[in-house]
């Protein structure tokens, strides 16, 4: 069974860690948000691509969910001594990824090619595709002006009031090679539990992707990143509220109702089942918090089991 997963960073990477325990990794394609990509120290940084790739390579810091486990920070310390910005925690090995990516991009390779080279070098069998090779930076609209999502999230620790979200140049962006084909050829598409506004939203905003999800014969299954009205981590609630969405599993289901067939919600949100079913979706109530390997595999198994018991879809 070919499975496509639309992915942001940490929540999606955890889900994919479960999925590779349940189906052959080579049957999975992750289509990853690149709206968080930005340039710092003159280096091209792709936070979500790196989180997904390095998590699947077993290299990520398990407490944080980002950053390489056991990394050192000698270069960052020196960058600070020399007056460079240090707000974005870049470990030494992490920097190697960004140095190499930047060099390859400058030599004319696409982000897709670099991403494939990295995941192969790190022994990852899951196909990892950037949503687009065209830059589509996500900006947060604040009273002080528009700031890049990473400045909002990391440098300013989400302290700005959010007035809106802008995906710059998205209307002209093209899906990366293989993205639409993977969606059309899949037997199952999963919207990972990722931030609906700044991770899934940008992927769906790339022209062609939303219509492919509507047209594909594969059922589209979503997993709520919002549990009991709160995010497991990160600014999803503030961003959803700023976009006029209800900050709940129901709000996520409403935002994606047109493309979803099935929605997995946490047991604490079981009371939302009738309202989500009223949107025309099948609802599966299960534990969706992924702490360890067993919970990750159980959640992936719940998704795959639903597909297997509804083979005709
Ligand atoms: P980021 O770019 O790394 O911040 O992350 P994502 O785009 O993947 O989105 C983070 C979202 O994932 C947040 O809304 C979290 O609530 C959600 N998330 C993280 N871990 C889990 C989990 O174990 N279960 C569920 N259901 N959601 C999670």
């Amino acid at each position: 069974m070919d499975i496509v997963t639309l992915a942001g960073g940490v929540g999606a990477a955890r889900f994919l860690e479960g999925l590779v325990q349940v189906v052959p990794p080579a049957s999975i394609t992750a289509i990853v948000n690149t709206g968080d990509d930005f340039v710092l120290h003159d280096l091209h940084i792709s936070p979500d691509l790196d989180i997904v790739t390095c998590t699947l390579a077993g290299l990520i810091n398990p407490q944080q969910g980002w950053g390489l486990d056991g990394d050192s920070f000698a270069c960052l310390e020196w960058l600070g001594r020399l007056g460079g910005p240090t707000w974005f925690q870049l470990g030494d090995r992490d920097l190697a990824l960004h140095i190499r990516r930047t060099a390859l991009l400058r030599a004319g390779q696409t982000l897709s090619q670099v991403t494939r080279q990295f995941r192969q070098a790190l022994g990852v069998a899951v196909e990892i595709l950037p949503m687009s090779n065209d830059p589509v930076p996500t900006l947060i609209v604040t009273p002080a002006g528009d700031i890049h999502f990473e400045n909002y999230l990391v440098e300013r620790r989400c302290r700005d009031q959010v007035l809106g979200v802008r995906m710059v140049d998205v209307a002209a962006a093209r899906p990366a090679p293989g993205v639409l084909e993977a969606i059309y050829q899949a037997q199952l598409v999963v919207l990972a539990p990722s931030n609906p506004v700044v991770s899934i939203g940008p992927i769906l905003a790339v022209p062609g992707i939303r219509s492919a999800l509507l047209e594909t014969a594969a059922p589209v299954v979503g997993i709520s990143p919002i549990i009991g009205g709160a995010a497991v981590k990160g600014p999803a609630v503030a961003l959803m509220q700023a976009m006029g969405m209800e900050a709940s599993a129901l709000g996520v289901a409403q935002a994606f109702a047109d493309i979803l067939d099935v929605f997995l919600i946490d047991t604490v949100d079981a009371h939302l089942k009738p309202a989500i079913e009223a949107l025309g979706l099948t609802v599966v109530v299960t534990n969706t918090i992924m702490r360890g390997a067993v919970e990750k595999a159980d959640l992936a198994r719940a998704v795959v089991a639903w597909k297997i018991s509804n083979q005709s879809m």
Side-chain angles (χ1 to χ4, degrees):
M1 187 194 319
D2 289 336
I3 303 181
V4 164
T5 300
L6 268 49
V10 178
R14 286 187 180 150
F15 173 72
L16 287 163
E17 275 184 292
L19 198 56
V20 295
Q21 296 182 59
V22 173
V23 300
S27 66
I28 303 168
T29 300
I31 298 172
V32 180
N33 169 44
T34 55
D36 295 4
D37 286 24
F38 69 118
V39 172
L40 190 67
H41 310 293
D42 222 10
L43 300 174
H44 183 116
I45 301 177
S46 298
D48 285 349
L49 283 171
D50 286 347
I51 288 171
V52 168
T53 305
C54 293
T55 299
L56 289 170
L59 298 171
I60 221 81
N61 176 320
Q63 278 80 42
Q64 295 177 166
W66 52 269
L68 294 167
D69 202 19
D71 211 348
S72 51
F73 289 85
C75 187
L76 189 72
E77 193 194 319
W78 271 80
L79 284 166
R81 272 201 203 187
L82 299 171
T86 56
W87 57 267
F88 199 76
Q89 291 288 303
L90 290 168
D92 296 327
R93 293 177 209 167
D94 206 354
L95 274 162
L97 290 169
H98 312 317
I99 291 169
R100 184 78 184 130
R101 174 184 298 114
T102 306
L104 292 169
L105 290 173
R106 285 196 188 147
Q109 292 204 22
T110 63
L111 188 58
S112 301
Q113 290 169 321
V114 176
T115 302
R116 168 164 290 184
Q117 210 168 305
F118 282 13
R119 65 115 176 141
Q120 286 174 339
L122 297 175
V124 174
V126 171
E127 178 69 284
I128 301 173
L129 304 177
M131 65 187 196
S132 177
N133 285 327
D134 302 317
V136 185
T138 298
L139 302 186
I140 304 298
V141 182
T142 79
D146 295 358
I147 52 176
H148 188 275
F149 174 69
E150 291 296 334
N151 295 96
Y152 162 78
L153 179 75
V154 184
E155 184 178 27
R156 299 180 60 78
R157 297 180 192 276
C158 308
R159 62 173 176 257
D160 300 271
Q161 185 194 352
V162 181
L163 302 176
V165 174
R166 282 183 52 214
M167 296 157 203
V168 180
D169 295 336
V170 75
R174 293 152 301 173
V179 164
L180 298 182
E181 294 82 347
I183 294 171
Y184 282 116
Q185 285 160 18
Q187 274 85 53
L188 177 64
V189 177
V190 185
L191 264 55
S194 293
N195 188 311
V197 179
V198 292
S199 291
I200 302 295
I203 302 175
L204 298 180
V206 176
I209 294 188
R210 200 170 191 125
S211 42
L213 291 166
L214 289 168
E215 287 165 11
T216 180
V220 180
V221 179
I223 302 165
S224 180
I226 303 295
I227 301 176
V232 176
K233 78 171 235 327
V237 165
L239 290 166
M240 288 176 75
Q241 286 169 342
M243 300 308 284
M245 296 161 69
E246 182 183 311
S248 69
L250 174 60
V252 181
Q254 284 167 335
F256 303 137
D258 59 336
I259 51 172
L260 286 174
D261 298 295
V262 184
F263 200 49
L264 270 71
I265 61 172
D266 199 83
T267 44
V268 304
D269 291 318
H271 61 284
L272 297 174
K273 187 175 186 237
I276 299 173
E277 283 173 340
L279 299 169
L281 307 185
T282 298
V283 178
V284 176
V285 180
T286 187
N287 171 40
T288 66
I289 296 194
M290 299 172 282
R291 278 166 293 234
V294 173
E295 284 176 322
K296 289 170 190 164
D298 283 349
L299 184 57
R301 211 171 281 119
V303 172
V304 173
W306 177 86
K307 165 67 186 163
I308 289 168
S309 56
N310 293 272
Q311 278 295 0
S312 59
M313 282 197 73

